Amino acid sequence: MKIPGPYSGGIILSYQCNLSCIHCLYNCHGKWNSWINIEKLEKIIKTLKNIKNFTSLHLTGGEPFINFPLLLESVRLCKKYEIPFFVETNCYWAKNIQITEEKLKKLKENGLNSIMLSYSIFYVDKVPIENFEIAMRKSIEIFGSENVSFYTISGYKLIKDLNIKGNLSFEKCLNLIGEKNFINFLKTYIVPKGKVLYTLDKWFFKFPAEKFKRANCVYEFLNPYHIHIDLYGNYMPSFCAGITIGNYEEVLEKGINDEDKVLKFLLNDIYELLLWAESYGYKRKDGYVNKCHLCLDIRKFLIENNFRFDSLKPEEFYKNL
Ligand code: SF4
Ligand code: SF4
């Protein structure tokens, strides 16, 4: 099946992160150790640049600032190909004004014009709120307020209003925020896919598997608004994590790899995937948050039981899920 060219998307430079947030879509943490090869990155950027309607690229991870030389190189490449882009970060590195200014100015000199800063209750145990505030102030000064975005400002304000200084564990922070405020925050913040379906599942309503009969992923696979290509070349649509519809070059040229058994099921009916997995020993749960929860739980079972499919990548994603 052919897909429309994407309008916007991110390149995952690495899954390595100094944090391992409980809401992390891609199950990033410090044990991932590969980073994108610069030639591969250039090829991906060139490909995206040649897509007619592609208007916005983000360089992301993992945490791109961990490998600052590679980040600088990546920024230079984006500048060279004149592709509109920004960088995402969790601000861990913004330890003081001097460091922050140095890094941001270097990025600007090399061609960066726009940045997205992330902060919320999920970061506060490892990234002090002061780091985010320094990064915010300096980014606005260096790039201009119209070129700085936040994920999310309400997530930050929730912590700020508690007058927290430095770090605080997630549990203590949650106690201070209160369940009602936390649920309201989750509604506007969380993408209910990936790791969060296990770590925060008690906060979601669940439905029996029958609810997802005849559900499929055609809309998500064809959705051109938010795709990711990772360092291995995996093309991942619509925030899907640990699953790829193919290598990005093949996907953009020929379409979805619909020879893959898992993708075939997902293009047709996810309930059929469940019945098939059950025939190999998968035990269905009493309830699932959504079809992505059902999908992820089956994929996890498949990987843990040594089934191998081209679509279930990168495999490390499934470790410690
Ligand atoms: S900072 Fe971002 S990439 Fe890193 S673990 Fe948290 S959500 Fe994932
Ligand atoms: S069910 Fe699976 S493949 Fe489909 S959108 Fe959700 S995570 Fe992606």
Side-chain angles (χ1 to χ4, degrees), residues 6 8-15 26 36 40-41 43-45 47-49 51 54 57-61 226-237 240 244 246-249 251-252:
S8 71
I11 302 177
I12 296 176
L13 302 179
S14 170
Y15 289 98
Y26 296 105
I36 201 162
K40 189 173 225 167
L41 176 64
K43 220 167 147 195
I44 299 174
I45 294 173
T47 306
L48 293 175
K49 173 70 185 173
I51 296 173
F54 193 84
L57 172 67
H58 55 283
L59 299 174
T60 187
H226 201 94
I227 63 116
H228 284 100
I229 299 172
D230 73 7
L231 61 155
Y232 309 110
N234 296 316
Y235 186 106
M236 298 173 294
C240 298
T244 171
N247 168 274
Y248 78 99
E249 288 174 287
V251 169
L252 293 170

Side-chain angles (χ1 to χ4, degrees), residues 52-70:
K52 194 167 155 240
N53 294 323
F54 193 84
T55 49
S56 174
L57 172 67
H58 55 283
L59 299 174
T60 187
E63 172 49 54
F65 276 71
I66 293 178
N67 191 340
F68 197 67
L70 184 111

Side-chain angles (χ1 to χ4, degrees), residues 138-186:
K138 285 287 143 193
S139 296
I140 289 174
E141 210 175 288
I142 292 168
F143 300 114
S145 57
E146 67 283 16
N147 296 313
V148 184
S149 53
F150 307 100
Y151 193 79
T152 60
I153 206 67
S154 55
Y156 155 69
K157 280 190 179 147
L158 203 56
I159 309 296
K160 183 71 179 166
D161 289 348
L162 297 173
N163 212 14
I164 290 169
K165 305 255 184 292
N167 298 111
L168 194 67
S169 73
F170 171 76
E171 287 73 22
K172 283 189 180 153
C173 205
L174 181 57
N175 272 338
L176 291 173
I177 287 175
E179 291 198 358
K180 201 171 154 218
N181 288 337
F182 183 64
I183 290 169
N184 285 336
F185 156 75
L186 281 184

Side-chain angles (χ1 to χ4, degrees), residues 232-273:
Y232 309 110
N234 296 316
Y235 186 106
M236 298 173 294
S238 303
F239 295 108
C240 298
I243 183 162
T244 171
I245 58 172
N247 168 274
Y248 78 99
E249 288 174 287
E250 286 165 16
V251 169
L252 293 170
E253 201 190 313
K254 299 187 206 140
I256 299 168
N257 172 15
D258 44 21
E259 290 304 303
D260 181 276
K261 197 172 185 83
V262 173
L263 294 180
K264 253 188 199 166
F265 279 125
L266 292 172
L267 283 165
N268 185 40
D269 182 349
I270 194 169
Y271 198 75
E272 295 289 325
L273 174 65

